[in-house]
């Protein structure tokens, strides 16, 4: 009994103990220690809970219960007394039940099948047919994103659901009809068709594709009928018969003059930071100019990241790393980098790609060109060429939510391809140095004023630098050098304002300025009497005004009328480009469409034919002048689109006439060495048939092209164009099961035309231009991906992928050119036929992690 009374008085004394202290920004740990000693308490807690917490508190004979209340208020932690001597400190269970009903703000109709997600927790759900959704109990500091096709994204804090139960949540239709999606899953996941006729590729939603173990934006768009690459590269993309340099390619509003790595085999854009890409085969908005064919507008993420994240991966040619991080609640950054390891390790993927890229060059030729027949084996081995090749790219972006209605973005990109090939037999040394770089930076400010005015101010700087140096040394003395350089500097500005007359009518008015400088140097004398003999800087300042009216009817009919007028001072002329784009529903499932446009292009790529020792990247950007005309493209298209029950059927016919072509613009071989000008006439039909069966998708694409050149100075009668691939057929299939994705695709197309040649009196004599055709081309591609979580929360994820292009390893010539060479054994001039063969069997593996 005495012992019990003693413990009672001891506890009472502890609880009535006094402490007088004034804490100012004092670590919570110290305050708890003082209180514990003064009041005889035991605090139980995790070190992580109180880490880095400081408080300001005055204790002056304050009762313990009041101290605990004050600590709870200041720290936002729970202080729970489980006995007179023990207090447990814990994080409050701040969760709230989240549910709601989504409806159209204008019609009050429920919005079914909207996507509700919490990106920070990798969770989400889909609203039912009555617009109802439920996420359950989630942390009240979570940010909820609601997305629905045709409506503006909405972000809500979970704490907003505390007192409102399951509220009705209005969604507002997109301000502009151009953003409305017409068909979701036009071909496969992530490739959608918009109501303005463009195609949208959402990279993070993109499903597996044949022959791709990871998405490549410029390979992916080749699955769309009417878009192909006859030379199998991503830089050789041709849209409806136009050459690759006739496509406008933008990265975050930066004009890109080189879009590939590994001499066109890989895209120069890191797919992991791409948000989406818009592709126009025709009928583009008049803000897109200076190119005669298609538009490829690629954008990286535009939203401030909610939390730090990123990923890294490695495949058969390169490794990459990227980060997305918030700096503040309204400022975020995205940083990425990729680099090949081809200069350190040669994988089967690299060997297959390099065999195609370097064929018919000294890199794959016999190494004994510098060796006398009497030299021994050791000397021969010493003279074998060493190929040091690698590529890399870097990009960074700053995103600023300046206000609720204003967003500012600053983006930059740098790409580089470096090749050094050296042959050294101790006495003689031959070196080929080739470097191709493209760098750029852009600024954009987009906003809305008074709900009816949308403004945009964008500026960019782009620089393309291609340099090749051939050096031949004998005992460290330079005996011969050849130089080929091409530099393009482009500075531009775009300012426009859009007035939303109503939710279905809008009008845009804009102005563009660009200062484009081009210079080139070729030290060897060219056999063509063209501007390629010069090396002076040529400047073209362009001033452009454009306007566009668009109307979206209640039944989703679409009309866009545009006009673009540009003055190019390099020609000192004004060029007016009218444009029209119409889509109209005949029934709920059938639509008709038509486009018409006139387009001009003041800069083109020419082929530099001179044998520059290393036959790689011999395209030269050059401005129009008195000898090189401005390209003029007149194009029309019309078609039908059927969509119902996961069936998509589309037939699209088109006509295109491109005037102002030159014999060196297109690079075909003729006996006429003088510069000649002409035109191309293109007639074509694109057909798509796609069906989705649950997790299985299949689509068939077919393109008919009739491309005809007319060059009166070369031949009186028209002849097939270089890129006249008459028939192009593709069938693709994808299947998803659990965490696996599989894809199988087969491509068949007609052989390309070529010109026969013979050697007469040591001179090459060419036959009728493009009168013969190469063998038909076909290949089979497969790929598989397995996705998995690296931890139970799913915050660390990964995927492992494998792919094979050209499974049955069929290699055929896809182009032919000729040159006259002296036989080293007979000293006679012989005709050498250079056959550029297609890609052989090409395996690839990819391992990626996301965090």
């Amino acid at each position: 009994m005495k012992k019990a009374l003693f413990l009672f008085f001891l506890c009472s004394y502890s609880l009535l103990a006094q402490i007088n202290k004034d804490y100012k920004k004092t670590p919570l740990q110290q305050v708890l220690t003082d209180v514990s000693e003064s009041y005889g308490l035991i605090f139980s807690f995790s070190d992580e809970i109180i880490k880095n917490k400081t408080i300001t508190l005055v204790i002056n004979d304050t009762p313990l219960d009041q101290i605990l209340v004050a600590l709870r208020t200041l720290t936002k932690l729970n202080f729970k007394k489980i006995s007179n001597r023990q207090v447990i400190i814990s994080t409050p269970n701040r969760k709230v039940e989240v549910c709601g009903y989504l409806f159209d703000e204008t019609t009050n109709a429920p919005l079914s099948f909207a996507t509700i997600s919490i990106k920070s927790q990798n969770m989400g759900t889909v609203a039912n047919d009555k617009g109802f959704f439920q996420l359950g109990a989630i942390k009240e500091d979570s940010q909820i994103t609601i997305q629905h096709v045709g409506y503006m994204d909405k972000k809500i804090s979970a704490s907003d659901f505390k007192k409102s139960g399951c509220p009705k949540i209005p969604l507002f239709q997109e301000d502009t009809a151009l953003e409305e999606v017409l068909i979701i899953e036009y071909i496969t996941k992530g490739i959608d068709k918009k109501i303005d006729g463009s195609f949208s590729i959402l990279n993070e939603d993109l499903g597996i594709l044949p022959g791709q173990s990871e998405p490549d934006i410029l390979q992916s768009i080749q699955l769309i009928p009417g878009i192909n690459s006859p030379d199998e590269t991503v830089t050789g993309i041709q849209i409806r018969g136009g050459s690759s340099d006739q496509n406008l390619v933008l990265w975050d509003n930066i004009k890109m003059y080189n879009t590939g790595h590994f001499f066109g085999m890989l895209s120069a854009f890191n797919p992991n930071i791409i948000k989406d890409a818009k592709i126009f085969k025709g009928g583009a908005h008049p803000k897109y100019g200076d190119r005669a064919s298609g538009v490829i507008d690629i954008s990286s993420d535009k939203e401030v990241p909610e939390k730090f994240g990123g990923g890294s991966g490695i495949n058969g040619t390169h490794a990459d790393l990227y980060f997305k991080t918030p700096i503040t609640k309204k400022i975020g950054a995205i940083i990425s980098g990729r680099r090949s390891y081809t200069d350190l390790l040669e994988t089967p993927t690299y060997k297959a790609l390099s065999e195609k890229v370097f064929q018919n060059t000294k890199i794959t030729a016999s190494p004994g060109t510098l060796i006398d027949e009497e030299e021994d084996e050791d000397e021969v081995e010493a003279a074998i060429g060493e190929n040091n090749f690698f590529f890399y790219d870097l990009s960074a972006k700053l995103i600023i939510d300046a206000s609720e209605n204003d967003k500012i973005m600053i983006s930059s990109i740098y790409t580089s391809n470096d090749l050094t090939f050296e042959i050294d037999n101790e006495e003689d040394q031959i070196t080929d140095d080739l470097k191709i770089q493209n760098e750029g930076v852009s600024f954009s400010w987009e906003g809305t004023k008074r709900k009816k005015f949308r403004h945009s101010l964008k500026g960019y700087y782009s620089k393309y630098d291609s340099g090749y140096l051939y050096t031949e040394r004998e005992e460290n003395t330079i005996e011969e050098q050849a130089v080929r350089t091409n530099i393009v500097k482009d500075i531009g500005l775009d300012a426009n304002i859009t007035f939303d007359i109503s939710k279905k009518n809008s009008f845009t008015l804009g102005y563009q300025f660009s200062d484009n400088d081009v210079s080139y140097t070729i030290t060897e004398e060219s056999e063509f009497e063209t501007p390629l003999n010069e090396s002076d800087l040529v400047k073209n300042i362009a001033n452009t005004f454009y306007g566009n009216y668009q109307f979206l009817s209640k039944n989703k009919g679409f009309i866009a009328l545009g006009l673009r007028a540009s003055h190019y001072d390099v020609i000192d002329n004004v060029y007016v480009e009218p444009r029209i784009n119409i889509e109209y529903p005949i029934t709920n499932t059938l639509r008709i469409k038509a486009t018409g446009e006139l387009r001009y292009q003041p800069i083109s790529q020419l082929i530099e034919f001179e044998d520059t020792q290393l036959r790689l990247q011999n395209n030269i950007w050059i401005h129009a002048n008195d000898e090189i005309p401005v390209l003029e493209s007149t194009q029309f298209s019309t078609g039908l689109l059927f969509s119902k029950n996961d069936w998509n059927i589309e037939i699209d016919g088109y006509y295109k006439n491109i005037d102002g072509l030159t014999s060196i613009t297109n690079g075909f071989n003729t006996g006429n060495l003088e510069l000649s000008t002409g035109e191309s006439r293109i007639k074509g039909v694109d057909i798509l048939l796609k069906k989705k069966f649950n997790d299985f998708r299949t689509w068939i694409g077919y393109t008919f092209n009739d491309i005809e050149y007319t060059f009166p100075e070369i031949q009186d009668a028209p002849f097939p164009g270089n890129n006249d691939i008459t028939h192009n057929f593709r069938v693709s299939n994808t299947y998803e099961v659990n965490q696996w994705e599989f894809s199988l695709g087969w491509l068949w197309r007609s052989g390309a035309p070529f010109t026969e040649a013979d050697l007469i009196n040591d001179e090459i004599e060419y036959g009728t231009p493009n009168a013969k055709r190469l063998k038909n081309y076909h290949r089979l591609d497969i790929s598989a991906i397995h996705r998995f979580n690296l931890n139970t929360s799913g915050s660390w994820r990964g995927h492992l992928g494998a792919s094979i292009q050209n499974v049955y390893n069929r290699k055929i010539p896809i182009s032919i050119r000729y040159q006259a060479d002296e036989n080293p054994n007979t000293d006679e001039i012989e005709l050498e036929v250079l056959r550029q063969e297609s890609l052989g069997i090409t395996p690839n593996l990819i391992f990626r992690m996301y965090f």
Side-chain angles (χ1 to χ4, degrees):
M1 181 68 180
K2 292 181 179 180
K3 186 176 182 180
L5 289 173
F6 173 76
L7 291 174
F8 171 77
F9 284 116
L10 177 64
C11 292
S12 300
Y13 171 78
S14 299
L15 294 174
L16 294 173
Q18 296 178 348
I19 179 173
N20 294 280
K21 284 196 175 182
D22 186 359
Y23 298 101
K24 293 183 178 179
K25 294 185 178 180
T26 305
L28 178 59
Q29 174 74 60
Q30 181 180 332
V31 177
L32 294 177
T33 300
D34 291 346
V35 173
S36 176
E37 293 175 353
S38 298
Y39 290 88
L41 290 177
I42 298 173
F43 287 103
S44 299
F45 54 85
S46 168
D47 290 339
E48 288 296 322
I49 292 179
I50 67 170
K51 184 178 180 181
N52 300 326
K53 282 187 177 292
T54 60
I55 63 172
T56 298
L57 176 67
V58 176
I59 301 179
N60 187 12
D61 298 337
T62 307
L64 176 61
D65 288 342
Q66 291 184 24
I67 294 175
L68 296 180
V69 171
L71 290 174
R72 184 181 301 113
T73 302
L74 293 171
T75 63
K76 307 300 182 183
L77 298 175
N78 284 334
F79 287 78
K80 183 178 181 181
K81 290 176 62 179
I82 61 174
S83 70
N84 286 335
R85 296 194 60 199
Q86 188 171 8
V87 177
I88 294 179
I89 306 175
S90 62
T91 303
N93 182 21
R94 293 178 180 169
K95 289 191 174 182
V96 61
E97 286 287 334
V98 173
C99 57
Y101 294 86
L102 304 177
F103 67 97
D104 185 295
E105 180 268 344
T106 303
T107 65
N108 209 36
L111 296 176
S112 56
F113 310 118
T115 300
I116 300 92
S117 62
I118 305 175
K119 294 183 179 180
S120 62
Q121 300 179 32
N122 294 313
M123 65 176 295
T125 187
V126 176
N128 65 16
D129 56 357
K130 295 182 180 180
F132 175 76
F133 71 91
Q134 187 171 17
L135 287 173
I138 64 173
K139 296 179 180 179
E140 67 176 41
D141 60 350
S142 299
Q143 283 288 325
I144 300 166
T145 301
I146 302 175
Q147 296 174 304
H148 193 285
V149 174
Y151 291 82
M152 299 173 64
D153 291 356
K154 189 156 195 166
K155 292 187 177 181
I156 307 176
S157 175
S159 60
D160 295 339
F161 290 82
K162 272 186 174 181
K163 299 179 181 180
S164 52
C166 294
K168 291 187 66 178
I169 302 172
L171 295 186
F172 296 85
Q173 293 185 9
E174 288 279 7
D175 290 331
T176 172
L178 282 179
E179 297 303 318
E180 185 161 347
V181 175
L182 180 62
I183 297 178
I184 301 176
E185 280 198 19
Y186 176 75
I187 291 180
T188 188
K189 285 194 311 181
I191 302 181
D192 306 329
K193 189 178 179 80
K194 294 195 172 184
I195 200 167
D196 63 345
S198 66
F199 299 91
S200 173
I201 298 183
L202 301 174
N203 193 66
E204 63 183 16
D205 298 332
L206 191 60
I208 190 173
L209 299 172
Q212 297 185 41
S213 51
E214 63 176 344
D216 185 302
I217 201 73
L218 297 183
Q219 287 183 353
S220 301
I221 67 174
Q222 295 180 40
L223 296 171
I224 300 172
I227 303 177
N228 67 85
S229 178
D231 63 1
E232 301 180 309
T233 67
V234 299
T235 54
I237 289 177
Q238 301 186 355
I239 299 179
R240 288 183 171 173
S243 60
S244 59
D245 67 315
Q246 295 169 10
N247 299 323
L248 176 64
V249 182
L250 302 174
W251 167 264
D252 280 346
N253 304 310
I254 302 170
K255 284 186 182 179
M256 299 297 295
Y257 291 87
N258 179 64
T259 58
H261 284 315
F262 211 153
F263 305 102
M265 300 309 297
L266 305 169
S267 168
F269 310 114
N270 189 337
N272 301 289
I273 61 170
I274 292 176
K275 177 62 177 178
D276 60 32
K278 293 177 68 175
I279 296 93
F280 291 88
K281 294 193 293 183
H285 192 286
K287 68 180 180 181
Y288 298 111
D290 296 341
R291 295 296 186 271
S293 194
V295 176
I296 304 171
D297 188 354
I298 307 172
S299 300
S300 58
D301 280 354
K302 296 182 178 180
E303 299 299 326
V304 174
E306 295 182 1
K307 66 172 185 175
F308 176 81
S312 64
I314 186 170
N315 62 20
T317 56
H318 62 272
D320 74 273
L321 178 67
Y322 72 94
F323 300 102
K324 301 179 181 181
T325 181
I327 299 175
T328 68
K329 287 186 177 181
K330 294 187 176 183
I331 302 175
I334 302 171
I335 301 173
S336 77
R338 294 189 298 173
R339 191 195 189 280
S340 70
Y341 52 83
T342 52
D343 52 332
L344 304 174
L345 177 65
E346 294 186 358
T347 64
T349 308
Y350 170 75
K351 290 179 180 178
L353 295 176
S354 61
E355 184 178 346
K356 170 180 168 55
V357 168
F358 298 130
Q359 61 181 303
N360 294 321
T361 70
K362 63 173 63 178
I363 295 178
T364 56
S366 172
T369 54
L370 295 179
I371 312 303
D372 293 334
E373 295 180 1
E374 298 178 356
E375 291 181 318
D376 58 28
E377 183 177 347
D378 292 337
E379 291 174 317
V380 172
E381 290 180 353
I384 292 178
E386 180 182 353
N387 176 19
N388 183 14
F389 166 72
F390 67 96
F391 62 83
Y392 63 95
D393 59 68
L394 302 168
S395 66
K397 187 171 188 177
L398 189 66
I399 307 167
I400 304 171
D401 288 336
S403 70
E404 183 178 352
N405 297 318
D406 293 271
K407 185 182 292 288
I408 296 173
M409 292 175 287
I410 302 171
S411 183
S412 64
I413 187 171
Y414 181 87
T415 70
S416 180
N417 286 258
D418 294 81
L419 177 119
T420 300
F421 181 71
E422 186 174 277
I423 299 177
D424 190 353
N425 71 341
E426 296 183 356
E427 294 182 359
D428 299 324
Q429 184 185 68
I430 292 180
T431 305
D432 295 89
D433 287 305
L434 177 61
K435 180 173 287 190
I436 306 162
Q437 298 173 331
N438 205 149
E439 60 186 74
V441 63
S442 67
F443 165 86
S444 69
W445 171 31
E446 299 176 350
T448 303
K449 295 292 184 290
R450 299 181 180 179
K451 295 184 179 181
K452 287 187 175 293
F453 291 93
R454 287 176 284 119
H455 62 81
S456 172
L457 177 64
K458 301 175 182 178
Y460 71 89
Y461 166 78
S462 181
K463 181 183 178 183
Y464 166 77
D465 190 345
S466 175
Y468 168 68
L469 175 63
Y470 168 80
T471 306
E472 185 174 335
R473 293 180 177 88
E474 184 176 346
E475 296 181 349
N476 295 323
T477 301
I478 296 178
E479 297 290 330
E480 182 180 346
Q481 273 193 332
V483 176
R484 182 182 69 229
T485 66
N486 187 203
I487 299 175
V488 180
K489 294 181 181 179
D490 195 348
I491 299 175
L493 176 72
D494 182 300
N496 66 67
I497 186 168
T498 298
F499 173 59
D500 294 323
I501 303 170
S502 67
K503 290 187 176 181
K504 301 298 182 181
N505 292 266
S506 66
F507 179 76
T508 300
L509 185 64
Y511 166 76
Q512 291 175 351
F513 167 85
S514 70
D515 183 347
N516 191 298
D517 302 340
V518 176
S519 63
Y520 44 84
T521 302
I522 301 176
T523 58
E524 293 188 344
E525 183 180 352
S526 173
E527 60 186 357
F528 285 91
E529 295 181 2
T530 73
L532 291 182
N533 296 327
E534 304 174 3
S535 60
D536 295 333
L537 175 69
V538 180
K539 179 188 290 286
N540 180 33
I541 294 178
N543 289 276
T544 300
F545 290 93
Y546 63 90
N548 190 68
Y549 167 76
Q550 59 194 33
F551 169 74
L552 182 66
S553 64
K554 292 183 179 180
N555 62 356
K556 291 191 176 181
F558 173 81
I559 299 176
L561 303 174
L563 187 67
R564 179 183 177 90
S566 303
H567 176 267
Y568 302 128
D569 72 347
V570 72
I571 301 295
D572 193 20
N573 202 357
V574 176
Y575 298 88
V576 180
E577 306 174 36
R579 303 183 184 183
I580 183 170
N581 187 351
I582 299 173
E583 285 217 18
Y584 190 80
I586 301 175
T587 68
N588 292 333
T589 58
L590 184 64
R591 304 174 67 87
I592 59 173
K593 54 183 181 174
T595 67
E597 55 194 316
L598 179 62
R599 303 175 72 171
Y600 293 95
Q601 180 171 331
I603 185 172
S604 301
Q605 276 189 321
L606 309 185
I607 307 297
E608 197 278 301
F609 279 102
E610 192 70 34
D611 181 10
T612 52
Q613 305 298 323
L614 193 65
R615 302 182 189 96
L616 291 169
Q617 204 72 20
N618 61 338
N619 293 342
I620 304 291
W621 286 101
I622 185 171
H623 277 309
N625 52 44
D626 293 337
E627 296 180 272
I628 307 294
V630 172
L631 292 180
E632 178 182 343
S633 173
T634 306
Q635 45 191 301
F636 304 94
S637 72
T638 184
L640 294 171
L641 176 61
F642 173 85
S643 180
K644 184 179 181 181
N645 298 332
D646 291 323
W647 281 95
N648 290 336
I649 302 173
E650 183 175 26
I651 302 175
D652 207 2
Y654 52 89
Y655 171 86
K656 181 187 295 186
N657 185 88
I658 303 178
D659 195 10
L661 301 178
T662 70
S663 53
I664 56 175
T665 301
N666 295 272
F668 51 84
N669 294 317
T670 70
N672 188 346
L673 299 182
E674 299 295 329
L675 174 69
S676 55
T677 60
E679 63 178 357
S680 68
R681 178 195 52 78
I682 304 164
K683 293 184 292 185
V685 177
D686 298 333
I687 299 175
L688 172 74
L689 172 64
K690 178 253 182 179
K691 172 62 177 173
K692 178 183 177 184
F693 304 91
N694 296 322
D695 294 326
F696 176 77
R697 299 169 179 83
T698 183
W699 67 92
I700 297 173
Y702 169 74
T703 296
F704 167 80
N705 254 335
D706 179 15
I707 304 176
E708 191 176 74
Y709 284 170
T710 302
F711 281 78
E713 297 176 4
I714 295 176
Q715 179 175 288
D716 292 336
F719 55 91
N722 290 8
N723 55 344
D724 182 34
I725 309 297
T726 310
H727 304 285
N728 194 311
F729 174 84
R730 184 190 293 270
V731 57
S732 303
N733 307 273
T734 64
Y735 177 65
E736 297 180 33
V737 54
N738 298 326
Q739 301 300 314
W740 287 90
E741 295 181 37
F742 303 93
S743 186
L744 175 70
W746 187 66
L747 170 64
W748 178 95
R749 67 173 182 238
S750 304
F754 73 98
T755 304
E756 286 188 311
D758 200 358
L759 193 66
I760 300 177
N761 297 326
D762 294 341
E763 297 289 338
I764 300 177
E765 296 289 338
Y766 293 93
T768 305
N770 290 341
K772 297 290 184 179
R773 284 192 178 269
L774 299 170
K775 291 182 179 179
N776 293 334
Y777 171 101
H778 56 84
R779 79 181 197 206
L780 180 70
D781 301 331
I782 62 173
S783 53
I785 291 177
H786 175 56
R787 306 184 188 276
F788 52 87
N789 291 328
L790 297 173
N791 59 4
T792 55
S793 66
S795 58
W796 284 77
R797 298 169 289 113
H799 82 248
L800 181 67
S803 65
I804 302 177
Q805 290 180 304
N806 196 2
V807 173
Y808 44 71
N809 197 28
R810 181 176 185 265
K811 298 168 65 176
I812 62 165
I814 55 177
S815 67
I816 288 180
R817 64 184 299 264
Y818 308 92
Q819 70 178 26
D821 279 342
E822 181 180 307
N823 189 312
N825 297 320
T826 64
D827 294 331
E828 294 183 357
I829 302 298
E830 295 179 350
L831 181 66
E832 184 177 359
V833 182
L834 302 177
R835 295 178 175 86
Q836 196 74 11
E837 291 194 331
S838 58
L839 183 70
I841 184 170
T842 307
N844 199 2
L845 291 174
I846 173 69
F847 175 73
R848 296 206 60 80
M849 294 190 307
Y850 304 94
F851 51 84

